[in-house]
Amino acid sequence: MSFFFDSLSITVFVFAVCFLSQNLQIFNTDTEKLTAIPTNFSSHSHIVYSPDGHIVTISTGPTVFSSVTRINPVTGKVQVLRASCKPFSDPAYISVGREITFETADNDHAHAIYYPPNSKDFCGPEGEKPPLIVRVHGGPTSCAKVSLNTEYQYYTTRGFAVLDVNYRGSTGYGRVYRDKLKKKWGVCDVDDAVHGALHLSKAGEVDGKRLAISGGSAGGYTVLASLTFRDVFRAGCSRYGVSDLSALTSDTHKFESRYLDQLVGVLPAEKSVYDERSPINFVDKLNVPVIFFQGGEDKVVPPDQSELMFNALKSKGIATAYVYFPDEQHGFRKLENIVAALEGELYFYGRVMGFTPADNFDKVPDIVNL
């Protein structure tokens, strides 16, 4: 929630978040009334109150790309100053995210955004449920938002369903929900990713035998922990993911060097907790294919975190692949590498799940033990 003060009218502009439907609202300190500003966008961030009385923000929605917008707080008129890219070629291909709540461990509930497969040209075989990719956001205390995500659309137009999980600890649902990840990273996030997938499977939305999980950075850790400590997913994709929590505390940059004190525990007193939740210490329990993508210049999660897991799976004879981008950092920025990672993940799923993607890939990852 962000506050912006107008010194003349003593009005506070509030960025209110309610179950990931992020609405602009105005709170008048004189009348003590809260008034919503209706827009066609579902999410707003980086809000600035301009001297001319307008609000400038980055806005996005389930069918529109992120745009810099100028909003009149009185009339609600929205002017798009600059869009991040051209409108989607045909809205009929868009899978609109649907917010869901499901039961999870500890008699609790968790949230997610579900994107069903969608294409105006194709449909799945009769009587067959789609495979599912559970996506895990980074942070780990970030959040997934209802937006037009081209990566998700890439998969939903190819017959996959995507579940973007806001596990307990994600922001956007209040302090109590956020605090549930304290001392529980590697527990709550894993439980919620697993229960989200099982929820859709039991509801008949997806094929319970073709469940995959994918994430980057902190999300990559949840991927590896879910595959190591649970037996639900058939395949996984880790992008610069954490495999050794203790190593992360010593290798990562200074800004986040004490981040895990709250999420896992204080070292050295709670070293055993770090060891118990690090997938690298339990590779004997990991028995499903995983593809790894890693940047050589990553200073947040160094390459050895991915390389250790890849080599462990390789020595065990389990199908795996390691794609190394020497000039990338924590998150890929070059177009050719972004495309290679996206297509490589799809190709990997096809090989381990037994289907052949219709795409013509320029380059495919080298999968060992297949």
Side-chain angles (χ1 to χ4, degrees):
M1 182 176 291
S2 300
F3 300 86
F4 299 87
F5 297 87
D6 179 351
S7 59
L8 297 178
S9 59
I10 318 298
T11 301
V12 183
F13 291 87
V14 185
F15 177 45
V17 181
C18 178
F19 192 46
L20 273 295
S21 294
Q22 304 176 341
N23 306 306
L24 287 172
Q25 301 191 27
I26 300 175
F27 179 73
N28 190 303
T29 55
D30 294 329
T31 62
E32 297 186 352
K33 290 184 178 181
L34 192 65
T35 305
I37 305 174
T39 71
N40 293 326
F41 296 93
S42 61
S43 175
H44 306 273
S45 63
H46 302 82
I47 304 169
V48 176
Y49 178 61
S50 63
D52 64 358
H54 289 79
I55 298 170
V56 179
T57 174
I58 297 178
S59 306
T60 187
T63 59
V64 290
F65 291 112
S66 295
S67 303
V68 178
T69 59
R70 182 171 180 264
I71 303 172
N72 187 315
V74 178
T75 65
K77 181 180 178 181
V78 179
Q79 177 187 5
V80 176
L81 301 178
R82 179 67 63 88
S84 58
C85 56
K86 295 179 180 179
F88 214 78
S89 57
D90 190 339
Y93 289 107
I94 297 177
S95 175
V96 178
R98 183 176 82 240
E99 296 168 320
I100 66 171
T101 300
F102 54 90
E103 295 181 355
T104 187
D106 308 315
N107 294 316
D108 210 341
H109 291 79
H111 308 291
I113 305 166
Y114 176 57
Y115 298 84
N118 182 62
S119 172
K120 73 172 188 177
D121 299 323
F122 303 98
C123 61
E126 185 176 354
E128 185 173 323
K129 301 297 182 182
L132 172 71
I133 300 174
V134 171
R135 289 302 302 264
V136 187
H137 65 69
T141 54
S142 181
C143 69
K145 302 176 183 178
V146 179
S147 62
L148 182 53
N149 185 310
T150 52
E151 185 172 333
Y152 298 171
Q153 301 301 321
Y154 176 81
Y155 286 108
T156 56
T157 55
R158 286 160 175 77
F160 277 85
V162 175
L163 184 69
D164 208 356
V165 179
N166 275 318
Y167 50 80
R168 288 168 292 171
S170 304
T171 56
Y173 299 91
R175 175 65 66 91
V176 173
Y177 194 79
R178 162 65 185 84
D179 284 348
K180 289 181 179 181
L181 198 64
K182 287 185 175 180
K183 304 288 185 176
K184 292 291 185 178
W185 190 32
V187 179
C188 287
D189 49 319
V190 172
D191 284 337
D192 295 353
V194 167
H195 280 78
L198 294 177
H199 169 78
L200 290 179
S201 176
K202 292 177 182 178
E205 296 271 6
V206 301
D207 185 351
K209 296 181 180 180
R210 293 187 292 174
L211 304 176
I213 184 169
S214 174
S217 189
Y221 165 71
T222 303
V223 167
L224 297 175
S226 297
L227 296 173
T228 302
F229 302 121
R230 302 291 190 275
D231 186 22
V232 172
F233 299 102
R234 183 174 174 183
C237 171
S238 171
R239 302 188 183 197
Y240 37 90
V242 178
S243 61
D244 187 335
L245 292 176
S246 293
L248 179 65
T249 62
S250 58
D251 293 341
T252 194
H253 56 104
K254 182 178 180 181
F255 182 71
E256 291 187 341
S257 61
R258 310 304 302 181
Y259 193 18
L260 299 192
D261 288 4
Q262 289 190 36
L263 297 173
V264 182
V266 179
L267 291 172
E270 297 177 272
K271 177 66 164 56
S272 62
V273 179
Y274 282 74
D275 294 340
E276 291 167 1
R277 297 184 193 172
S278 295
I280 192 61
N281 297 328
F282 299 91
V283 290
D284 58 306
K285 296 183 178 181
L286 180 55
N287 298 298
V288 295
V290 184
I291 185 170
F292 300 86
F293 295 94
Q294 179 68 48
E297 299 179 1
D298 194 332
K299 302 300 182 184
V300 180
V301 181
D304 65 327
Q305 292 267 333
S306 295
E307 291 167 359
L308 287 170
M309 292 297 290
F310 168 71
N311 290 325
L313 286 173
K314 184 179 178 180
S315 64
K316 288 185 65 177
I318 297 174
T320 184
Y322 179 64
V323 182
Y324 180 74
F325 301 120
D327 53 354
E328 287 287 6
Q329 301 178 31
H330 194 65
F332 307 143
R333 293 163 177 80
K334 293 189 175 182
L335 177 61
E336 61 269 26
N337 295 336
I338 295 172
V339 172
L342 192 63
E343 294 182 343
E345 183 177 352
L346 176 62
Y347 174 80
F348 184 79
Y349 291 149
R351 293 301 306 275
V352 301
M353 291 186 182
F355 69 88
T356 302
D359 302 68
N360 294 318
F361 302 124
D362 293 331
K363 186 177 181 180
V364 296
D366 180 23
I367 305 174
V368 299
N369 301 328
L370 190 63

mmCIF file of all heavy atoms in Angstrom, residues 162-203:
data_model
loop_
_atom_site.group_PDB
_atom_site.id
_atom_site.type_symbol
_atom_site.label_atom_id
_atom_site.label_comp_id
_atom_site.label_asym_id
_atom_site.label_seq_id
_atom_site.Cartn_x
_atom_site.Cartn_y
_atom_site.Cartn_z
ATOM 1 N N VAL A 162 -1.575 -23.206 -16.719
ATOM 2 C CA VAL A 162 -0.555 -22.600 -15.865
ATOM 3 C C VAL A 162 -1.205 -22.146 -14.565
ATOM 4 O O VAL A 162 -2.252 -21.500 -14.582
ATOM 5 C CB VAL A 162 0.122 -21.400 -16.558
ATOM 6 C CG1 VAL A 162 1.101 -20.711 -15.600
ATOM 7 C CG2 VAL A 162 0.849 -21.839 -17.827
ATOM 8 N N LEU A 163 -0.582 -22.496 -13.452
ATOM 9 C CA LEU A 163 -1.052 -22.053 -12.133
ATOM 10 C C LEU A 163 0.044 -21.209 -11.500
ATOM 11 O O LEU A 163 1.120 -21.711 -11.167
ATOM 12 C CB LEU A 163 -1.371 -23.249 -11.233
ATOM 13 C CG LEU A 163 -1.962 -22.880 -9.866
ATOM 14 C CD1 LEU A 163 -3.377 -22.321 -10.024
ATOM 15 C CD2 LEU A 163 -1.969 -24.089 -8.933
ATOM 16 N N ASP A 164 -0.215 -19.923 -11.344
ATOM 17 C CA ASP A 164 0.730 -18.983 -10.747
ATOM 18 C C ASP A 164 0.411 -18.879 -9.256
ATOM 19 O O ASP A 164 -0.567 -18.239 -8.860
ATOM 20 C CB ASP A 164 0.589 -17.617 -11.433
ATOM 21 C CG ASP A 164 1.872 -16.820 -11.401
ATOM 22 O OD1 ASP A 164 2.846 -17.288 -10.788
ATOM 23 O OD2 ASP A 164 1.913 -15.726 -12.000
ATOM 24 N N VAL A 165 1.218 -19.507 -8.431
ATOM 25 C CA VAL A 165 0.894 -19.672 -7.014
ATOM 26 C C VAL A 165 1.358 -18.483 -6.172
ATOM 27 O O VAL A 165 2.515 -18.064 -6.254
ATOM 28 C CB VAL A 165 1.524 -20.964 -6.460
ATOM 29 C CG1 VAL A 165 1.211 -21.111 -4.972
ATOM 30 C CG2 VAL A 165 1.016 -22.179 -7.222
ATOM 31 N N ASN A 166 0.449 -17.970 -5.369
ATOM 32 C CA ASN A 166 0.783 -16.985 -4.336
ATOM 33 C C ASN A 166 0.747 -17.706 -2.992
ATOM 34 O O ASN A 166 -0.211 -17.611 -2.229
ATOM 35 C CB ASN A 166 -0.205 -15.811 -4.355
ATOM 36 C CG ASN A 166 0.184 -14.758 -5.365
ATOM 37 O OD1 ASN A 166 1.350 -14.409 -5.501
ATOM 38 N ND2 ASN A 166 -0.792 -14.255 -6.103
ATOM 39 N N TYR A 167 1.801 -18.458 -2.746
ATOM 40 C CA TYR A 167 1.890 -19.253 -1.530
ATOM 41 C C TYR A 167 1.880 -18.358 -0.295
ATOM 42 O O TYR A 167 2.091 -17.151 -0.377
ATOM 43 C CB TYR A 167 3.154 -20.113 -1.557
ATOM 44 C CG TYR A 167 4.413 -19.358 -1.888
ATOM 45 C CD1 TYR A 167 5.082 -18.609 -0.918
ATOM 46 C CD2 TYR A 167 4.953 -19.381 -3.173
ATOM 47 C CE1 TYR A 167 6.239 -17.910 -1.216
ATOM 48 C CE2 TYR A 167 6.113 -18.690 -3.486
ATOM 49 C CZ TYR A 167 6.749 -17.959 -2.500
ATOM 50 O OH TYR A 167 7.891 -17.262 -2.808
ATOM 51 N N ARG A 168 1.622 -18.971 0.845
ATOM 52 C CA ARG A 168 1.628 -18.229 2.099
ATOM 53 C C ARG A 168 2.996 -17.558 2.285
ATOM 54 O O ARG A 168 4.017 -18.210 2.204
ATOM 55 C CB ARG A 168 1.328 -19.171 3.261
ATOM 56 C CG ARG A 168 -0.111 -19.632 3.330
ATOM 57 C CD ARG A 168 -0.281 -20.787 4.303
ATOM 58 N NE ARG A 168 0.389 -21.992 3.807
ATOM 59 C CZ ARG A 168 0.562 -23.108 4.522
ATOM 60 N NH1 ARG A 168 0.131 -23.157 5.776
ATOM 61 N NH2 ARG A 168 1.154 -24.163 3.988
ATOM 62 N N GLY A 169 2.954 -16.254 2.501
ATOM 63 C CA GLY A 169 4.173 -15.472 2.556
ATOM 64 C C GLY A 169 4.244 -14.456 1.435
ATOM 65 O O GLY A 169 5.043 -13.520 1.487
ATOM 66 N N SER A 170 3.397 -14.643 0.412
ATOM 67 C CA SER A 170 3.350 -13.678 -0.686
ATOM 68 C C SER A 170 2.705 -12.385 -0.209
ATOM 69 O O SER A 170 1.824 -12.387 0.654
ATOM 70 C CB SER A 170 2.540 -14.244 -1.855
ATOM 71 O OG SER A 170 3.062 -15.479 -2.290
ATOM 72 N N THR A 171 3.147 -11.270 -0.771
ATOM 73 C CA THR A 171 2.533 -9.991 -0.429
ATOM 74 C C THR A 171 1.207 -9.842 -1.178
ATOM 75 O O THR A 171 0.949 -10.513 -2.168
ATOM 76 C CB THR A 171 3.459 -8.831 -0.815
ATOM 77 O OG1 THR A 171 3.778 -8.929 -2.215
ATOM 78 C CG2 THR A 171 4.739 -8.867 -0.032
ATOM 79 N N GLY A 172 0.366 -8.940 -0.667
ATOM 80 C CA GLY A 172 -0.904 -8.666 -1.334
ATOM 81 C C GLY A 172 -2.122 -9.194 -0.617
ATOM 82 O O GLY A 172 -3.249 -8.904 -1.019
ATOM 83 N N TYR A 173 -1.907 -9.958 0.456
ATOM 84 C CA TYR A 173 -3.043 -10.541 1.181
ATOM 85 C C TYR A 173 -3.044 -10.159 2.660
ATOM 86 O O TYR A 173 -3.743 -10.776 3.457
ATOM 87 C CB TYR A 173 -3.019 -12.070 1.045
ATOM 88 C CG TYR A 173 -3.125 -12.551 -0.382
ATOM 89 C CD1 TYR A 173 -1.986 -12.774 -1.138
ATOM 90 C CD2 TYR A 173 -4.367 -12.741 -0.984
ATOM 91 C CE1 TYR A 173 -2.067 -13.203 -2.454
ATOM 92 C CE2 TYR A 173 -4.461 -13.168 -2.299
ATOM 93 C CZ TYR A 173 -3.313 -13.394 -3.028
ATOM 94 O OH TYR A 173 -3.400 -13.806 -4.346
ATOM 95 N N GLY A 174 -2.258 -9.183 3.012
ATOM 96 C CA GLY A 174 -2.243 -8.726 4.393
ATOM 97 C C GLY A 174 -1.042 -9.233 5.179
ATOM 98 O O GLY A 174 -0.347 -10.164 4.776
ATOM 99 N N ARG A 175 -0.804 -8.601 6.313
ATOM 100 C CA ARG A 175 0.363 -8.901 7.139
ATOM 101 C C ARG A 175 0.352 -10.345 7.671
ATOM 102 O O ARG A 175 1.381 -11.012 7.688
ATOM 103 C CB ARG A 175 0.440 -7.904 8.306
ATOM 104 C CG ARG A 175 1.550 -8.174 9.322
ATOM 105 C CD ARG A 175 2.925 -8.014 8.685
ATOM 106 N NE ARG A 175 3.146 -6.630 8.294
ATOM 107 C CZ ARG A 175 3.711 -5.728 9.106
ATOM 108 N NH1 ARG A 175 4.087 -6.062 10.320
ATOM 109 N NH2 ARG A 175 3.910 -4.495 8.675
ATOM 110 N N VAL A 176 -0.810 -10.805 8.101
ATOM 111 C CA VAL A 176 -0.881 -12.157 8.671
ATOM 112 C C VAL A 176 -0.451 -13.191 7.641
ATOM 113 O O VAL A 176 0.331 -14.106 7.929
ATOM 114 C CB VAL A 176 -2.303 -12.456 9.189
ATOM 115 C CG1 VAL A 176 -2.414 -13.920 9.624
ATOM 116 C CG2 VAL A 176 -2.654 -11.541 10.352
ATOM 117 N N TYR A 177 -0.951 -13.054 6.417
ATOM 118 C CA TYR A 177 -0.610 -13.993 5.347
ATOM 119 C C TYR A 177 0.871 -13.895 5.017
ATOM 120 O O TYR A 177 1.544 -14.918 4.827
ATOM 121 C CB TYR A 177 -1.453 -13.692 4.116
ATOM 122 C CG TYR A 177 -1.438 -14.774 3.057
ATOM 123 C CD1 TYR A 177 -2.218 -15.916 3.190
ATOM 124 C CD2 TYR A 177 -0.666 -14.636 1.908
ATOM 125 C CE1 TYR A 177 -2.231 -16.900 2.211
ATOM 126 C CE2 TYR A 177 -0.661 -15.605 0.927
ATOM 127 C CZ TYR A 177 -1.448 -16.739 1.076
ATOM 128 O OH TYR A 177 -1.446 -17.708 0.103
ATOM 129 N N ARG A 178 1.378 -12.691 4.964
ATOM 130 C CA ARG A 178 2.790 -12.477 4.652
ATOM 131 C C ARG A 178 3.690 -13.095 5.712
ATOM 132 O O ARG A 178 4.714 -13.708 5.406
ATOM 133 C CB ARG A 178 3.054 -10.963 4.515
ATOM 134 C CG ARG A 178 4.487 -10.521 4.621
ATOM 135 C CD ARG A 178 5.362 -11.047 3.497
ATOM 136 N NE ARG A 178 6.748 -10.678 3.717
ATOM 137 C CZ ARG A 178 7.593 -11.360 4.475
ATOM 138 N NH1 ARG A 178 7.190 -12.461 5.082
ATOM 139 N NH2 ARG A 178 8.837 -10.966 4.620
ATOM 140 N N ASP A 179 3.335 -12.968 6.961
ATOM 141 C CA ASP A 179 4.185 -13.450 8.046
ATOM 142 C C ASP A 179 4.208 -14.970 8.172
ATOM 143 O O ASP A 179 5.024 -15.519 8.925
ATOM 144 C CB ASP A 179 3.738 -12.839 9.382
ATOM 145 C CG ASP A 179 4.163 -11.384 9.525
ATOM 146 O OD1 ASP A 179 4.987 -10.925 8.701
ATOM 147 O OD2 ASP A 179 3.667 -10.706 10.443
ATOM 148 N N LYS A 180 3.328 -15.658 7.450
ATOM 149 C CA LYS A 180 3.286 -17.123 7.553
ATOM 150 C C LYS A 180 4.530 -17.789 6.973
ATOM 151 O O LYS A 180 4.772 -18.969 7.220
ATOM 152 C CB LYS A 180 2.029 -17.656 6.868
ATOM 153 C CG LYS A 180 0.757 -17.347 7.640
ATOM 154 C CD LYS A 180 -0.486 -17.912 6.969
ATOM 155 C CE LYS A 180 -1.722 -17.594 7.813
ATOM 156 N NZ LYS A 180 -2.966 -18.153 7.222
ATOM 157 N N LEU A 181 5.323 -17.039 6.213
ATOM 158 C CA LEU A 181 6.546 -17.614 5.653
ATOM 159 C C LEU A 181 7.738 -17.468 6.597
ATOM 160 O O LEU A 181 8.780 -18.069 6.365
ATOM 161 C CB LEU A 181 6.871 -16.959 4.305
ATOM 162 C CG LEU A 181 7.847 -17.730 3.401
ATOM 163 C CD1 LEU A 181 7.263 -19.060 2.967
ATOM 164 C CD2 LEU A 181 8.229 -16.904 2.175
ATOM 165 N N LYS A 182 7.583 -16.702 7.658
ATOM 166 C CA LYS A 182 8.691 -16.520 8.593
ATOM 167 C C LYS A 182 9.073 -17.865 9.206
ATOM 168 O O LYS A 182 8.233 -18.573 9.764
ATOM 169 C CB LYS A 182 8.311 -15.530 9.689
ATOM 170 C CG LYS A 182 8.253 -14.081 9.206
ATOM 171 C CD LYS A 182 7.999 -13.112 10.340
ATOM 172 C CE LYS A 182 8.072 -11.670 9.848
ATOM 173 N NZ LYS A 182 7.827 -10.701 10.943
ATOM 174 N N LYS A 183 10.343 -18.195 9.070
ATOM 175 C CA LYS A 183 10.905 -19.468 9.534
ATOM 176 C C LYS A 183 10.343 -20.665 8.757
ATOM 177 O O LYS A 183 10.634 -21.817 9.100
ATOM 178 C CB LYS A 183 10.633 -19.682 11.031
ATOM 179 C CG LYS A 183 11.133 -18.580 11.930
ATOM 180 C CD LYS A 183 12.647 -18.580 12.044
ATOM 181 C CE LYS A 183 13.123 -17.546 13.060
ATOM 182 N NZ LYS A 183 14.581 -17.579 13.260
ATOM 183 N N LYS A 184 9.550 -20.418 7.718
ATOM 184 C CA LYS A 184 8.864 -21.506 7.010
ATOM 185 C C LYS A 184 9.179 -21.558 5.517
ATOM 186 O O LYS A 184 8.475 -22.240 4.773
ATOM 187 C CB LYS A 184 7.352 -21.363 7.213
ATOM 188 C CG LYS A 184 6.872 -21.609 8.630
ATOM 189 C CD LYS A 184 7.019 -23.059 9.032
ATOM 190 C CE LYS A 184 6.419 -23.330 10.399
ATOM 191 N NZ LYS A 184 6.512 -24.763 10.768
ATOM 192 N N TRP A 185 10.219 -20.820 5.078
ATOM 193 C CA TRP A 185 10.572 -20.927 3.664
ATOM 194 C C TRP A 185 11.124 -22.331 3.413
ATOM 195 O O TRP A 185 11.979 -22.817 4.129
ATOM 196 C CB TRP A 185 11.625 -19.879 3.301
ATOM 197 C CG TRP A 185 11.864 -19.782 1.821
ATOM 198 C CD1 TRP A 185 10.952 -19.988 0.836
ATOM 199 C CD2 TRP A 185 13.093 -19.459 1.172
ATOM 200 N NE1 TRP A 185 11.531 -19.793 -0.405
ATOM 201 C CE2 TRP A 185 12.839 -19.475 -0.218
ATOM 202 C CE3 TRP A 185 14.368 -19.145 1.627
ATOM 203 C CZ2 TRP A 185 13.837 -19.199 -1.157
ATOM 204 C CZ3 TRP A 185 15.365 -18.862 0.698
ATOM 205 C CH2 TRP A 185 15.095 -18.889 -0.681
ATOM 206 N N GLY A 186 10.580 -22.960 2.401
ATOM 207 C CA GLY A 186 10.912 -24.351 2.141
ATOM 208 C C GLY A 186 9.879 -25.290 2.710
ATOM 209 O O GLY A 186 9.968 -26.513 2.531
ATOM 210 N N VAL A 187 8.892 -24.732 3.397
ATOM 211 C CA VAL A 187 7.806 -25.527 3.970
ATOM 212 C C VAL A 187 6.457 -25.059 3.408
ATOM 213 O O VAL A 187 5.796 -25.781 2.655
ATOM 214 C CB VAL A 187 7.782 -25.457 5.508
ATOM 215 C CG1 VAL A 187 6.627 -26.287 6.066
ATOM 216 C CG2 VAL A 187 9.114 -25.932 6.075
ATOM 217 N N CYS A 188 6.068 -23.816 3.763
ATOM 218 C CA CYS A 188 4.777 -23.295 3.311
ATOM 219 C C CYS A 188 4.708 -23.168 1.792
ATOM 220 O O CYS A 188 3.704 -23.518 1.168
ATOM 221 C CB CYS A 188 4.494 -21.939 3.960
ATOM 222 S SG CYS A 188 4.064 -22.028 5.703
ATOM 223 N N ASP A 189 5.772 -22.645 1.189
ATOM 224 C CA ASP A 189 5.768 -22.472 -0.265
ATOM 225 C C ASP A 189 5.678 -23.804 -0.987
ATOM 226 O O ASP A 189 4.962 -23.950 -1.979
ATOM 227 C CB ASP A 189 7.010 -21.695 -0.712
ATOM 228 C CG ASP A 189 8.288 -22.250 -0.128
ATOM 229 O OD1 ASP A 189 8.294 -22.612 1.055
ATOM 230 O OD2 ASP A 189 9.304 -22.327 -0.856
ATOM 231 N N VAL A 190 6.393 -24.801 -0.479
ATOM 232 C CA VAL A 190 6.351 -26.135 -1.079
ATOM 233 C C VAL A 190 4.973 -26.758 -0.908
ATOM 234 O O VAL A 190 4.389 -27.291 -1.864
ATOM 235 C CB VAL A 190 7.437 -27.030 -0.447
ATOM 236 C CG1 VAL A 190 7.272 -28.475 -0.908
ATOM 237 C CG2 VAL A 190 8.823 -26.512 -0.805
ATOM 238 N N ASP A 191 4.438 -26.701 0.297
ATOM 239 C CA ASP A 191 3.102 -27.256 0.545
ATOM 240 C C ASP A 191 2.056 -26.621 -0.364
ATOM 241 O O ASP A 191 1.189 -27.309 -0.924
ATOM 242 C CB ASP A 191 2.696 -27.038 2.005
ATOM 243 C CG ASP A 191 3.389 -28.002 2.957
ATOM 244 O OD1 ASP A 191 3.818 -29.082 2.505
ATOM 245 O OD2 ASP A 191 3.515 -27.668 4.154
ATOM 246 N N ASP A 192 2.126 -25.313 -0.537
ATOM 247 C CA ASP A 192 1.102 -24.617 -1.314
ATOM 248 C C ASP A 192 1.236 -24.902 -2.807
ATOM 249 O O ASP A 192 0.229 -25.006 -3.517
ATOM 250 C CB ASP A 192 1.176 -23.116 -1.044
ATOM 251 C CG ASP A 192 0.841 -22.775 0.404
ATOM 252 O OD1 ASP A 192 0.437 -23.689 1.148
ATOM 253 O OD2 ASP A 192 1.008 -21.609 0.795
ATOM 254 N N ALA A 193 2.460 -25.026 -3.304
ATOM 255 C CA ALA A 193 2.650 -25.388 -4.713
ATOM 256 C C ALA A 193 2.083 -26.777 -4.983
ATOM 257 O O ALA A 193 1.402 -27.012 -5.990
ATOM 258 C CB ALA A 193 4.135 -25.333 -5.073
ATOM 259 N N VAL A 194 2.351 -27.695 -4.074
ATOM 260 C CA VAL A 194 1.863 -29.065 -4.216
ATOM 261 C C VAL A 194 0.341 -29.121 -4.122
ATOM 262 O O VAL A 194 -0.331 -29.735 -4.962
ATOM 263 C CB VAL A 194 2.497 -29.968 -3.135
ATOM 264 C CG1 VAL A 194 1.773 -31.300 -3.056
ATOM 265 C CG2 VAL A 194 3.976 -30.183 -3.429
ATOM 266 N N HIS A 195 -0.226 -28.470 -3.098
ATOM 267 C CA HIS A 195 -1.679 -28.514 -2.910
ATOM 268 C C HIS A 195 -2.410 -27.773 -4.027
ATOM 269 O O HIS A 195 -3.534 -28.145 -4.379
ATOM 270 C CB HIS A 195 -2.053 -27.928 -1.550
ATOM 271 C CG HIS A 195 -1.861 -28.884 -0.412
ATOM 272 N ND1 HIS A 195 -0.622 -29.163 0.128
ATOM 273 C CD2 HIS A 195 -2.741 -29.649 0.281
ATOM 274 C CE1 HIS A 195 -0.758 -30.046 1.109
ATOM 275 N NE2 HIS A 195 -2.024 -30.353 1.226
ATOM 276 N N GLY A 196 -1.802 -26.746 -4.588
ATOM 277 C CA GLY A 196 -2.424 -26.064 -5.716
ATOM 278 C C GLY A 196 -2.564 -26.975 -6.917
ATOM 279 O O GLY A 196 -3.607 -27.016 -7.577
ATOM 280 N N ALA A 197 -1.500 -27.716 -7.204
ATOM 281 C CA ALA A 197 -1.539 -28.661 -8.316
ATOM 282 C C ALA A 197 -2.564 -29.771 -8.061
ATOM 283 O O ALA A 197 -3.339 -30.136 -8.960
ATOM 284 C CB ALA A 197 -0.155 -29.268 -8.535
ATOM 285 N N LEU A 198 -2.569 -30.303 -6.852
ATOM 286 C CA LEU A 198 -3.511 -31.373 -6.525
ATOM 287 C C LEU A 198 -4.948 -30.875 -6.546
ATOM 288 O O LEU A 198 -5.875 -31.616 -6.918
ATOM 289 C CB LEU A 198 -3.174 -31.955 -5.153
ATOM 290 C CG LEU A 198 -1.831 -32.689 -5.050
ATOM 291 C CD1 LEU A 198 -1.582 -33.142 -3.617
ATOM 292 C CD2 LEU A 198 -1.797 -33.879 -6.004
ATOM 293 N N HIS A 199 -5.154 -29.630 -6.160
ATOM 294 C CA HIS A 199 -6.501 -29.045 -6.186
ATOM 295 C C HIS A 199 -7.058 -29.047 -7.603
ATOM 296 O O HIS A 199 -8.215 -29.449 -7.828
ATOM 297 C CB HIS A 199 -6.460 -27.622 -5.637
ATOM 298 C CG HIS A 199 -7.708 -26.835 -5.862
ATOM 299 N ND1 HIS A 199 -8.846 -27.002 -5.099
ATOM 300 C CD2 HIS A 199 -8.013 -25.879 -6.801
ATOM 301 C CE1 HIS A 199 -9.797 -26.189 -5.541
ATOM 302 N NE2 HIS A 199 -9.312 -25.496 -6.569
ATOM 303 N N LEU A 200 -6.262 -28.622 -8.564
ATOM 304 C CA LEU A 200 -6.728 -28.585 -9.956
ATOM 305 C C LEU A 200 -6.905 -29.992 -10.515
ATOM 306 O O LEU A 200 -7.809 -30.242 -11.319
ATOM 307 C CB LEU A 200 -5.736 -27.800 -10.813
ATOM 308 C CG LEU A 200 -5.676 -26.293 -10.562
ATOM 309 C CD1 LEU A 200 -4.627 -25.657 -11.461
ATOM 310 C CD2 LEU A 200 -7.044 -25.641 -10.807
ATOM 311 N N SER A 201 -6.049 -30.894 -10.085
ATOM 312 C CA SER A 201 -6.170 -32.273 -10.540
ATOM 313 C C SER A 201 -7.450 -32.912 -10.026
ATOM 314 O O SER A 201 -8.202 -33.551 -10.782
ATOM 315 C CB SER A 201 -4.953 -33.076 -10.079
ATOM 316 O OG SER A 201 -5.089 -34.439 -10.421
ATOM 317 N N LYS A 202 -7.733 -32.726 -8.742
ATOM 318 C CA LYS A 202 -8.947 -33.300 -8.160
ATOM 319 C C LYS A 202 -10.204 -32.658 -8.720
ATOM 320 O O LYS A 202 -11.254 -33.296 -8.812
ATOM 321 C CB LYS A 202 -8.906 -33.136 -6.642
ATOM 322 C CG LYS A 202 -7.834 -33.980 -5.963
ATOM 323 C CD LYS A 202 -7.783 -33.723 -4.462
ATOM 324 C CE LYS A 202 -6.678 -34.534 -3.807
ATOM 325 N NZ LYS A 202 -6.589 -34.254 -2.342
ATOM 326 N N ALA A 203 -10.103 -31.397 -9.126
ATOM 327 C CA ALA A 203 -11.254 -30.697 -9.705
ATOM 328 C C ALA A 203 -11.483 -31.083 -11.164
ATOM 329 O O ALA A 203 -12.464 -30.637 -11.768
ATOM 330 C CB ALA A 203 -11.048 -29.186 -9.593
#
